[in-house]
Amino acid sequence: MCLKIDLKKIVKGIIAFLFIISALNAQGNNWVKRDSTKRKIIQKLQLQTYEDNLLGYTFDSDDRPFADFTISFRTCIYPFDYVMKMFSEKARQNIHLNLAFTGRFGQYIGTRYSSPVVEKRLNPVLFLEYTPKNKYKNMTLQLGYGHESNGQVIDDSVTFYKTAALSHNDVHQTIDKISRGWDYVGTSIIANYFCVKMPNIVFEGDISLKYYLNYGVFQGKKEEYHPWERNWSGAAQTRNNLNGLSLTFTCYIDSSFINKIKINYETGIANPFYANSIKVLVGFKLGNFPIAFSYRYGYNGDLAQFGKVNQSFGVEYYLSSFNRPDDKRKK
């Protein structure tokens, strides 16, 4: 499949994107003081970045360009920590219970009626996190239960075609409103490697497994493809056939230019290596602006059409991140 993108649209989108970022940073040094105050408050709340927080502009091969927003955070459930303190010092392990949330939204600017915001992904997850105290202290094990959906409501053919027939609407835009949702159980092993010979570089590896349940506590019965759907969106596929086994490699670089390289590969947990998806992200600094370029090919570019192969190009601005005071990992 070739990525058919209008070059003029890309240039216009990038110019508009950089203009917005310049406006956001126009207050200069005043933001430094505000950011310092914000960090002190956040540290007391013990909030931490979970996935990358991004403001970007995305060009999908099967969609109109859109402003792409991702907000993601996690927090520690402290009553669990108090329970752990009931154990003796020797028996006590470095285990914490965490709640995380990730939301992704697309803002269509001038390409759809009323320039709507479309929910792309809503993903709360509750997970245990264990970090050994011995020589494996650079490794972390996570085990959790989560829910993932696109926040939409259409689940029958009558509503779908009535909505598609409305003025300022069509079938393609209505597909985004088809409801998808799953509960899942998952585990991840995350390992950091600090190279002695290259102290400015940190390597991170992440192996993740997810299994999407047929019936879940939050979702009820899973919402995948409905019998009335056509093959416009890969209707013969299931989520476990396409996703669930993920390998991520990240290189953090303390540099004034390129400072992050991230490669992610994902395949189905039910049928490994049958369906493959890959995403590459390169982050760098444009002056004081943390910018990234990304390219993705494969499945699950959009939950509404998770079974369809497409590809996308994105330019993204890293929003200010927040971490715990004891988090020494370079971001």
Side-chain angles (χ1 to χ4, degrees):
M1 177 185 295
C2 295
L3 183 60
K4 297 180 180 179
I5 291 176
D6 190 330
L7 184 59
K8 291 183 179 179
K9 290 183 178 179
I10 294 179
V11 174
K12 290 180 180 179
I14 292 175
I15 292 174
F17 170 72
L18 293 176
F19 178 79
I20 294 172
I21 298 306
S22 299
L24 289 174
N25 286 273
Q27 297 187 51
N29 293 331
N30 289 334
W31 275 39
V32 175
K33 295 180 180 179
R34 295 177 184 178
D35 186 66
S36 177
T37 302
K38 179 196 69 176
R39 287 178 182 274
K40 290 179 181 179
I41 295 172
I42 288 173
Q43 286 177 359
K44 290 181 179 180
L45 294 173
Q46 292 288 278
L47 290 176
Q48 184 181 9
T49 295
Y50 186 56
E51 297 182 15
D52 292 329
N53 290 278
L54 303 169
L55 164 61
Y57 206 74
T58 297
F59 303 85
D60 276 343
S61 59
D62 59 353
D63 197 2
R64 300 288 181 87
F66 59 91
D68 201 345
F69 304 85
T70 298
I71 181 69
S72 183
F73 64 90
R74 56 183 275 183
T75 187
C76 196
I77 307 298
Y78 286 103
F80 181 86
D81 288 356
Y82 293 131
V83 172
M84 292 301 297
K85 289 181 180 179
M86 297 173 60
F87 294 90
S88 65
E89 187 71 27
K90 291 183 179 180
R92 192 181 309 162
Q93 298 294 319
N94 190 14
I95 301 176
H96 301 281
L97 182 63
N98 296 270
L99 175 66
F101 174 80
T102 301
R104 182 188 178 207
F105 308 88
Q107 169 74 61
Y108 290 84
I109 304 172
T111 57
R112 295 192 183 188
Y113 177 70
S114 188
S115 298
V117 175
V118 178
E119 296 93 336
K120 300 287 186 179
R121 176 183 171 221
L122 302 175
N123 182 201
V125 57
L126 185 69
F127 63 95
L128 286 169
E129 184 175 72
Y130 168 63
T131 303
K133 297 180 180 179
N134 53 22
K135 62 181 180 179
Y136 299 107
K137 61 183 179 181
N138 289 333
M139 296 184 65
T140 300
L141 173 65
Q142 297 178 350
L143 179 63
Y145 186 95
H147 168 74
E148 187 174 41
S149 69
N150 63 350
Q152 303 300 328
V153 297
I154 294 179
D155 60 0
D156 66 277
S157 60
V158 174
T159 304
F160 177 84
Y161 286 109
K162 280 186 176 180
T163 304
L166 296 175
S167 60
H168 308 295
N169 208 354
D170 56 33
V171 169
H172 178 75
Q173 295 183 49
T174 309
I175 290 174
D176 287 341
K177 300 176 182 179
I178 298 177
S179 180
R180 309 289 186 208
W182 304 262
D183 280 10
Y184 64 87
V185 291
T187 183
S188 297
I189 299 176
I190 304 168
N192 292 308
Y193 175 70
F194 303 88
C195 184
V196 176
K197 295 183 179 180
M198 295 181 290
N200 294 331
I201 296 180
V202 178
F203 298 101
E204 180 180 277
D206 183 340
I207 301 175
S208 299
L209 297 174
K210 289 181 181 178
Y211 183 80
Y212 298 89
L213 303 173
N214 291 327
Y215 190 93
V217 175
F218 302 112
Q219 172 64 36
K221 186 179 179 181
K222 67 179 180 180
E223 288 184 295
E224 293 192 328
Y225 287 110
H226 306 283
W228 51 267
E229 291 190 65
R230 301 175 183 175
N231 287 326
W232 58 50
S233 49
Q237 304 288 3
T238 66
R239 191 71 190 277
N240 282 323
N241 284 337
L242 305 178
N243 303 110
L245 174 57
S246 175
L247 305 174
T248 304
F249 173 80
T250 309
C251 178
Y252 300 95
I253 307 170
D254 187 4
S255 168
S256 59
F257 186 52
I258 294 179
N259 52 29
K260 184 175 183 178
I261 300 173
K262 186 175 183 179
I263 302 173
N264 171 260
Y265 167 78
E266 188 168 16
T267 186
I269 192 170
N271 194 2
F273 313 117
Y274 166 74
N276 305 292
S277 302
I278 187 168
K279 181 175 181 179
V280 178
L281 180 145
V282 178
F284 63 97
K285 287 186 178 180
L286 183 62
N288 291 323
F289 300 154
I291 301 292
F293 288 110
S294 65
Y295 172 78
R296 183 197 58 80
Y297 175 85
Y299 299 89
N300 202 36
D302 185 344
L303 287 182
Q305 301 183 76
F306 68 90
K308 183 179 180 181
V309 176
N310 74 339
Q311 49 189 331
S312 64
F313 168 79
V315 55
E316 298 154 337
Y317 172 71
Y318 278 87
L319 300 178
S320 180
S321 296
F322 37 90
N323 300 292
R324 292 183 178 181
D326 60 346
D327 187 358
K328 305 300 183 183
R329 190 181 70 191
K330 295 182 180 179
K331 291 295 182 185

